[in-house]
């Protein structure tokens, strides 16, 4: 992805057009259907919020599965 000109220009959520976001939403809402699972997309987050969610998830994982 680092060599993809489309991806290189994306710095924040606002750099992704609404049609592309709709494609992402559709994919993630439907890709688990064959497994009988439901995925609910509540929204998309900007870079800063997404990075914080990743850090929070790592912290929760380490708490639940200590080394």
């Amino acid at each position: 992805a680092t060599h993809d000109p489309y991806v290189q220009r994306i710095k924040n959520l606002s750099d992704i057009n609404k049609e592309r976001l709709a494609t992402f939403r559709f994919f993630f809402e439907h890709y688990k259907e064959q497994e009988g699972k439901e995925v609910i997309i509540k929204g998309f987050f900007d870079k800063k919020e997404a990075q914080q969610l990743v850090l929070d998830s790592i912290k929760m994982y380490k708490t639940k599965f200590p080394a």
Side-chain angles (χ1 to χ4, degrees):
T2 57
H3 300 292
D4 183 339
Y6 177 79
V7 173
Q8 288 179 345
R9 71 171 187 80
I10 298 172
K11 304 296 182 210
N12 212 334
L13 186 62
S14 60
D15 297 328
I16 304 172
N17 67 43
K18 293 189 185 308
E19 292 80 14
R20 179 71 62 141
L21 288 175
T23 301
F24 294 156
R25 176 183 295 276
F26 181 85
F27 172 79
F28 284 108
E29 285 177 335
H30 296 281
Y31 84 113
K32 291 282 188 175
E33 285 178 346
Q34 290 182 340
E35 298 176 26
K37 297 178 181 176
E38 180 182 24
V39 176
I40 299 170
I41 307 296
K42 294 182 179 181
F44 295 100
F45 297 96
D46 280 336
K47 180 179 178 179
K48 184 177 177 181
E49 294 168 306
Q51 288 174 327
Q52 188 60 53
L53 286 170
V54 170
L55 293 174
D56 293 345
S57 297
I58 291 169
K59 185 177 177 181
M60 284 189 292
Y61 178 87
K62 287 180 177 180
T63 300
K64 186 169 183 169
F65 303 104

